[in-house]
Amino acid sequence: MPTLPKHLAVALAVSAALTVAAAATAPPSPATATAAPSPSPSPSPRISTAFTLPGAKVYPEGIASDSRTGTVYVGSYADGTVYRARPGARTAEVFLPAGTDGRHTANGLRVDARGRLWVIDSTTGVAVYDTRTGARLAHFEVPGTGPRFINDLTITPDGTAYLTDSARPVIYRVTPAQVRAGSGALTVAYDLTGHLTPAPAGSFALNGIVSDPAGRYLLAVDMTAGDLHRVDLRTGALGRVALTGGDLKAADGLALSPDGTLRVAQNLPNTLTRWQLSADGTRARLTRTLTDPSLQIPTTLTHTRGRTLVVRSQFDHGGPMNPTGGTPTTFTVAEVQGL
């Protein structure tokens, strides 16, 4: 794993400490699944292994699926490798080798409607790749040398990408016109300074981000405060989603389905949660919680073709959350049925 800048290493350590505290208040029983009462309760979720990732120190973080082909992409936080798992494959293959285009990490990943793969390097910005050839089509970087930790992204129906920064209270934007131009600065679209819940210095805040299928709003999670923020894309208004039944502390990856189901990976508690959003995205109700140590610090997830795929990061076994914390096992992506 490359050496992180001091401010990023400190932020990771503080964030890990905060998520440990969050784990103390998360659903306490391992290997349990709970759901809100309903007339016809669905079966308990089942966890299995979808495919493995080759390498002794992968420490995967991001995942994305191509809805057109069923291909899944996973990024290594350790060295920036991007893996590809074709439908039915039990072992992923290297798609973009470590260090491609100078990339140090590969965390947030998305495949857009045109089949292009977006890959975030938390230390610099984001690049866009042709999934057929692996050629880089565009890249955008945060200007200057100040603190930054570009973390996750979503793409709205009009092709605009929005990205969170965990070290700064901002959301960046990349437009289709900028992608056609090929390169440029990663510019701030929304500044949430003064809107986020105050947190200890150096801690991570904004993390996972999704957009609703109609392109009306963004939802971005504050993993330290446990809040879910809503950005109105028409007016720019900022608000908090009213959460019923729990909070989103330690929340990392988000996945939003067209029916308003929001699935969340909450990393150190080894927990996945499912929420039902109101039609306007201003309220969310917790409907299911799954806590299981076999999730191995889930960082991100994608819901596709009736199944939920979850990254098992193992960040606590010699990874960025605990560099001296032991030896990881084989790195895998989990498949969860019934979440």
Side-chain angles (χ1 to χ4, degrees), residues 171 190 192 195-196 206 209-210 212 215-222 227-242 277-283:
I171 296 174
Y190 301 102
L192 281 70
H195 180 74
L196 300 182
L206 296 177
I209 185 170
V210 291
D212 87 298
R216 297 170 298 167
Y217 57 83
L218 307 173
L219 299 176
V221 71
D222 180 340
D227 298 327
L228 186 62
H229 297 276
R230 183 185 186 278
V231 181
D232 189 303
L233 290 173
R234 183 178 62 86
T235 66
L238 305 176
R240 281 188 180 84
V241 176
L277 285 175
S278 61
D280 60 1
T282 61
R283 302 181 307 281

Side-chain angles (χ1 to χ4, degrees), residues 53-292:
L53 301 167
K57 293 188 176 181
V58 177
Y59 297 110
E61 207 281 344
I63 188 169
S65 55
D66 187 337
S67 61
R68 306 167 312 149
T69 66
T71 300
V72 177
Y73 299 88
V74 180
S76 167
Y77 184 78
D79 60 16
T81 300
V82 176
Y83 299 89
R84 175 176 60 191
R86 301 180 189 273
R90 300 299 296 171
T91 302
E93 61 186 352
V94 173
F95 176 60
L96 299 175
T100 302
D101 301 316
R103 188 176 53 254
H104 297 293
T105 70
N107 35 307
L109 275 69
R110 294 279 177 178
V111 178
D112 66 21
R114 296 181 58 180
R116 300 172 299 191
L117 176 65
W118 294 63
V119 182
I120 288 178
D121 180 336
S122 62
T123 66
T124 57
V126 66
V128 185
Y129 291 91
D130 186 316
T131 51
R132 294 179 298 106
T133 66
R136 188 176 72 173
L137 305 174
H139 65 102
F140 305 91
E141 298 185 357
V142 177
T145 59
R148 84 282 305 273
F149 193 100
I150 304 92
N151 202 321
D152 203 0
L153 79 156
T154 188
I155 301 172
T156 54
D158 67 358
T160 302
Y162 293 90
L163 305 88
T164 56
D165 192 323
S166 295
R168 304 173 60 199
V170 300
I171 296 174
Y172 304 104
R173 175 171 52 209
V174 178
T175 67
Q178 290 174 303
V179 175
R180 290 193 293 270
S183 64
L186 202 54
T187 56
V188 173
Y190 301 102
D191 189 334
L192 281 70
T193 301
H195 180 74
L196 300 182
T197 300
S203 60
F204 278 5
L206 296 177
N207 198 325
I209 185 170
V210 291
S211 50
D212 87 298
R216 297 170 298 167
Y217 57 83
L218 307 173
L219 299 176
V221 71
D222 180 340
M223 68 179 302
T224 297
D227 298 327
L228 186 62
H229 297 276
R230 183 185 186 278
V231 181
D232 189 303
L233 290 173
R234 183 178 62 86
T235 66
L238 305 176
R240 281 188 180 84
V241 176
L243 303 177
T244 302
D247 60 43
L248 291 173
K249 289 179 180 177
D252 202 325
L254 308 179
L256 179 60
S257 295
D259 65 356
T261 300
L262 178 68
R263 294 173 175 87
V264 183
Q266 292 173 256
N267 50 39
L268 271 179
N270 282 316
T271 294
L272 305 176
T273 51
R274 189 180 73 195
W275 303 73
Q276 186 60 47
L277 285 175
S278 61
D280 60 1
T282 61
R283 302 181 307 281
R285 176 176 56 88
L286 180 65
T287 60
R288 186 177 290 278
T289 298
L290 169 65
T291 299
D292 194 317

